[in-house]
Amino acid sequence: MVVLHPEQSQRQRRCTLAHELAHVKLGHTGSCGPVEDAQARDLAARWLIPIEALLDALRWTRDWEELADELWVDVATLQDRLDWLTDDEREQVVALNQEIERGA
């Protein structure tokens, strides 16, 4: 059973629910350690922030609060998504940064 805190914002509830469902999808049962929790955070962040959506949002802002708001996630989930970019995704972000710096 997943219990959401009534004072969480809609974005926080969305992230919490995705995180808990990720534990289920990953087959985590009982209490989870740091490794299992990191796996669930990574999967939840990937579900909630597809790379295409992240790149689109990065085109117009670098402010973390604005990015999180645009992507409808909390800042912690945004941080997780950025922390665990694949090599290909990281290359796409770097290429976008270079494009923006050139003023394209």
Side-chain angles (χ1 to χ4, degrees):
M1 174 178 12
V2 175
V3 178
L4 300 175
H5 193 283
E7 293 182 15
Q8 283 185 317
S9 70
Q10 187 85 1
R11 290 185 302 157
Q12 289 170 321
R13 288 193 303 266
R14 182 173 182 258
C15 294
T16 299
L17 185 57
H19 175 92
E20 296 307 325
L21 290 173
H23 278 297
V24 172
K25 174 75 173 173
L26 293 166
H28 300 161
T29 59
S31 64
C32 295
V35 170
E36 293 86 4
D37 199 56
Q39 292 170 341
R41 288 178 21 228
D42 179 26
L43 182 56
R46 289 180 185 286
W47 282 345
L48 295 173
I49 309 173
I51 189 62
E52 298 81 10
L54 177 60
L55 293 170
D56 285 346
L58 285 169
R59 289 184 198 285
W60 65 270
T61 187
R62 300 307 165 129
D63 180 86
W64 286 57
E65 288 290 336
E66 286 182 344
L67 278 170
D69 189 51
E70 175 67 17
L71 296 165
W72 211 45
V73 296
D74 56 27
V75 173
T77 301
L78 173 61
Q79 177 70 57
D80 288 339
R81 185 65 176 99
L82 292 169
D83 285 347
W84 293 315
L85 291 171
T86 64
D87 289 341
D88 181 59
E89 291 169 339
R90 192 170 314 283
E91 287 175 15
Q92 291 179 63
V93 171
V94 168
L96 175 63
N97 284 335
Q98 291 170 345
E99 177 184 320
I100 290 169
E101 288 174 4
R102 285 192 310 267

